[in-house]
Amino acid sequence: MNTIYIRTLKRAEHTVFNVSDGQKTYYDPQFRRYVPFSSGQQVKRSLIDTLCEAIEQTPSPTTFLFDVTKQKELKEGEVYGTCDPTYADQLIGGWMKAAKGGKDRTLKRRSPLSISAMRALHPLLAGVDKENASFDRSDRPNNKVIVRDVNNNELSQEEIVSFLEGKDRSLSRKWIPDNKRATGLFVFDIAIDLRRLFTVSLNSFEPEMSEDTITKLKENGWLESETIFGPCLVAPKELREKWAKGLAKAIIHWKITSNQSRTFSLMETLAVTISDNANLIAGSIRAKLSEEDSKKADPIIDENIEGVETFVTLSAGGYVHTKSETVDALQKAEEKILNQILAFNHEKQTTVSAS
């Protein structure tokens, strides 16, 4: 088994988890509905934040480059990661460094995690609603109100009072119309490529790291080996065990943490399924159109698919017909992921390995 496939079912209630015109949506042409979603990039970022917290490591620094133009203006340039796998967010998240001018080699590592968008289990099982909100501070006597005229000059208090005569208008209350909120059952998928999870390539034609980084890794106990992708360095066993435990926890317990999330919802996990077969995992948590009403879909957690292990939480029974809910379902799912990661022979993936 080289790849672990994980499908997770979550319940979101009256929340916002990706802001764009209130809440990001896509249009489903078959059911003619706008469906809310969270991008795979946002899920990945939140997951890696949880990983760094679990292993108590500060995320890697980022370098922001700017150029000063001939007009003495600041122009945004490249953004670089460290390209250093001693940071968990770099090893697991991947990196890309393409230097301006083409003088330095491009360094690129594809993440061993493939993460889908968090989208509706079925277009009929999630949706958006709108509400009108208000920012009301009219009960506070110490508010400061500034009114400007067409020339951007501030009006005096007397001028403001005169201007408001005959107008029913509060200056300490703002009306915010048409706020989108997402509710429903959402699913996302993760594929973990175990062959590349704890290895970094030494391919000099498509480099992942600088020579200085390679030297540092060897000094820190990284092992020379070989995979089907060629020569590589493998993270030390102690580091693999620690980071694998953090990764398993992050996959199960991540929460949306980016500044594009608001209006709190527990977004509780209802079920997790794990398999080495992508086709089976797709059917393990699914929806089926109702035979009586084509505008209704029923959620299904299939608990008896051979080749798929299913973990169902107590909360699931409120939304899906299930029989195997347990209070420790997520703990068991986390242990299953961890055991599968550690059972893989990261150091000797091929019959011939470097000395």
Side-chain angles (χ1 to χ4, degrees):
M1 179 189 68
N2 297 323
T3 306
I4 303 173
Y5 297 98
I6 304 164
R7 171 162 284 199
T8 301
L9 178 66
K10 283 181 171 287
R11 158 80 176 175
E13 187 172 16
H14 198 68
T15 186
V16 177
F17 44 70
N18 209 334
V19 179
S20 177
D21 188 25
Q23 163 66 53
K24 271 190 177 180
T25 60
Y26 68 89
Y27 182 73
D28 185 275
Q30 181 176 356
F31 294 94
R32 300 180 182 180
R33 291 167 55 92
Y34 284 95
V35 185
F37 74 98
S38 176
S39 67
Q41 182 179 9
Q42 186 184 26
V43 173
K44 179 181 177 182
R45 175 180 170 181
S46 300
L47 189 155
I48 289 179
D49 284 347
T50 305
L51 165 62
C52 291
E53 291 176 7
I55 64 174
E56 299 180 337
Q57 183 185 65
T58 301
S60 62
T62 302
T63 301
F64 295 86
L65 279 75
F66 295 86
D67 299 309
V68 177
T69 66
K70 294 180 179 179
Q71 293 75 27
K72 304 299 182 181
E73 295 177 350
L74 205 59
K75 180 182 178 182
E76 290 192 8
E78 306 95 312
V79 178
Y80 293 157
T82 60
C83 305
D84 185 347
T86 58
Y87 289 97
D89 64 315
Q90 292 283 285
L91 181 67
I92 305 301
W95 60 71
M96 174 73 172
K97 181 179 180 181
K100 184 178 179 180
K103 294 182 180 180
D104 297 325
R105 296 291 299 276
T106 296
L107 303 179
K108 179 172 63 177
R109 170 177 169 79
R110 184 166 65 89
S111 171
L113 267 60
S114 298
I115 303 178
S116 75
M118 187 170 71
R119 70 280 182 199
L121 176 61
H122 188 280
L124 297 176
L125 292 174
V128 291
D129 59 281
K130 293 183 179 181
E131 67 174 4
N132 295 322
S134 65
F135 182 81
D136 190 350
R137 298 296 183 269
S138 57
D139 59 332
R140 300 182 182 180
N142 59 348
N143 293 328
K144 183 176 181 180
V145 176
I146 297 175
V147 179
R148 295 165 295 201
D149 62 17
V150 292
N151 297 316
N152 207 36
N153 298 315
E154 290 187 24
L155 300 184
S156 67
Q157 185 171 349
E158 292 76 14
E159 289 173 322
I160 295 174
V161 172
S162 176
F163 177 78
L164 290 176
E165 287 183 2
K167 299 180 177 65
D168 184 16
R169 176 67 184 272
S170 170
L171 300 184
S172 299
R173 185 187 300 117
K174 286 189 176 294
W175 187 249
I176 310 172
D178 294 338
N179 285 266
K180 291 182 180 178
R181 301 288 184 259
T183 299
L185 300 181
F186 296 87
V187 68
F188 70 94
D189 302 300
I190 297 177
I192 306 175
D193 187 343
L194 296 173
R195 300 168 299 179
R196 295 186 299 108
L197 182 59
F198 291 119
T199 64
V200 284
S201 174
L202 294 176
N203 184 354
S204 58
F205 295 106
E206 295 290 339
E208 290 192 1
M209 303 171 291
S210 67
E211 290 298 326
D212 289 342
T213 301
I214 293 174
T215 300
K216 183 180 75 170
L217 293 182
K218 291 180 179 179
E219 292 174 349
N220 290 340
W222 286 60
L223 310 172
E224 289 191 66
S225 187
E226 187 171 338
T227 71
I228 63 169
F229 306 110
C232 66
L233 290 179
V234 184
K237 181 179 180 181
E238 182 179 353
L239 184 147
R240 295 198 308 267
E241 291 176 348
K242 180 179 179 180
W243 288 9
K245 187 175 181 179
L247 178 59
K249 181 176 181 179
I251 289 173
I252 297 300
H253 298 289
W254 70 271
K255 299 290 184 183
I256 288 180
T257 55
S258 77
N259 58 6
Q260 287 189 320
S261 65
R262 51 186 170 83
T263 312
F264 179 71
S265 167
L266 286 173
M267 288 193 230
E268 65 269 28
T269 298
L270 305 185
V272 177
T273 55
I274 303 171
S275 178
D276 60 358
N277 188 313
N279 292 315
L280 293 179
I281 207 78
S284 62
I285 300 175
R286 62 187 189 276
K288 185 176 182 179
L289 284 176
S290 171
E291 295 181 1
E292 292 80 16
D293 185 355
S294 61
K295 294 183 179 180
K296 180 182 177 182
D298 297 319
I300 299 172
I301 300 174
D302 200 321
E303 302 161 76
N304 299 300
I305 297 180
E306 186 176 352
V308 178
E309 293 204 43
T310 304
F311 306 88
V312 185
T313 69
L314 299 180
S315 301
Y319 310 100
V320 189
H321 291 292
T322 59
K323 297 179 180 178
S324 60
E325 306 100 309
T326 60
V327 68
D328 59 349
L330 297 185
Q331 179 183 342
K332 290 182 177 178
E334 182 181 335
E335 292 173 353
K336 177 64 178 180
I337 295 171
L338 175 61
N339 291 336
Q340 288 193 331
I341 292 175
L342 295 180
F344 186 77
N345 192 342
H346 298 278
E347 295 183 9
K348 295 182 180 180
Q349 298 186 31
T350 61
T351 55
V352 179
S353 62
S355 59

